[in-house]
Amino acid sequence: MKHATPATLRLIDALLVEVRRRPELRERTPGAFYFKAKGYLHFHEDPAGIFADVKLDHAEFTRMRVSTTAEQRKLIEAMDRSLKAAARSVAR
């Protein structure tokens, strides 16, 4: 599975716009997001669709399909839970 090309990233532009709204994340290169200087989210393309690799536990990547709007919504919801949990652990 290869990293997403610029053409593939354009297909998920609405998702990228939504991800960019998270102030905790920094986009170092198009489609590659970091949380506290560590890789958090990037995208792949495959004949089976577009996939996100995301560190929901901030340790290991979890692969999620993001080809459809519903799949993209699931990714955003999972990311929001992950980022909220990270903020709670820092506050302790």
Side-chain angles (χ1 to χ4, degrees):
M1 191 170 290
K2 69 179 189 169
H3 282 272
T5 63
T8 297
L9 292 176
R10 282 192 294 278
L11 295 173
I12 57 168
D13 186 60
L15 172 61
L16 294 174
V17 167
E18 187 63 30
V19 170
R20 290 177 183 126
R21 291 186 178 143
R22 273 76 192 154
E24 308 92 333
L25 301 178
R26 297 286 173 251
E27 188 175 18
R28 291 198 180 164
T29 59
F33 295 86
Y34 287 72
F35 177 82
K36 295 190 177 191
K38 292 190 179 187
Y40 179 76
L41 171 69
H42 62 270
F43 298 91
H44 294 274
E45 60 186 71
D46 186 78
I50 304 170
F51 294 85
D53 282 352
V54 58
K55 286 186 180 176
L56 297 172
D57 64 359
H58 297 273
E60 300 289 325
F61 281 110
T62 299
R63 182 158 289 163
M64 297 179 71
R65 190 171 190 271
V66 293
S67 295
T68 68
T69 303
E71 292 166 343
Q72 293 173 14
R73 192 174 328 107
K74 285 183 182 182
L75 171 66
I76 292 296
E77 290 168 359
M79 286 175 51
D80 285 346
R81 286 190 301 273
S82 165
L83 294 169
K84 187 179 281 190
R88 278 195 307 267
S89 71
V90 168
R92 289 182 192 162

